Amino acid sequence: MNDVKGAAALRATLVFNLGTLGALASDRFAARVEAIGLKPKHAGLLAALDAGSGASQQELATRLGVAPSLIVALADQLQELGAVERVRDPEDRRRQVLTLTTEGRLLLARCAEAAEEADAELTAGLSDVQRTALTRSLGALGEQQVPR
């Protein structure tokens, strides 16, 4: 039975550790953005809109890898908060372009603050050098996973 891998082998894997810490980090971030009336998916949509010029709901769904109906529901909620605005594309009246409003940019900034607070809490036991190395390594891993 010595050749059977057990709990120690599982705990030594990157995917297990990332999954465990990811769940913890997600919960902490969710609690913080819920305090400002949002969910993490709202923050993701705000960030996606901020990353470029206005985009259609369909384009955003494709870019984020989610169902278009999710983008529509999130955009409806963000529009009610005054965070996004829908504008008909003058070249294609069937297409609605989403853009961030001033309120949307303020909410995005609050989401960034919430993420920074969660980061600080999660990495409190690390040195600045360790925190920087972790951030860079996770960024590199994330970049490698993006389909080209």
Side-chain angles (χ1 to χ4, degrees), residues 32-92:
R32 283 178 168 80
V33 295
E34 284 174 11
I36 58 174
L38 299 176
K39 296 195 179 308
K41 289 179 182 180
H42 292 119
L45 182 54
L46 291 172
L49 287 170
D50 189 55
S53 59
S56 75
Q57 295 170 148
Q58 183 64 46
E59 290 166 345
L60 286 163
T62 300
R63 188 183 331 159
L64 297 173
V66 299
S69 60
L70 176 61
I71 297 298
V72 170
L74 292 172
D76 287 346
Q77 294 160 0
L78 289 170
Q79 189 174 20
E80 287 177 24
L81 294 172
V84 299
E85 108 183 322
R86 285 181 169 107
V87 179
R88 290 255 179 233
D89 185 337
E91 295 178 22
D92 183 351

Side-chain angles (χ1 to χ4, degrees), residues 90-110:
E91 295 178 22
D92 183 351
R93 301 291 293 156
R94 297 168 296 172
R95 183 175 183 259
Q96 291 197 39
V97 176
L98 296 177
T99 57
L100 279 181
T101 64
T102 300
E103 179 62 23
R105 292 189 193 292
L106 291 172
L107 282 173
L108 181 57
R110 291 180 69 191

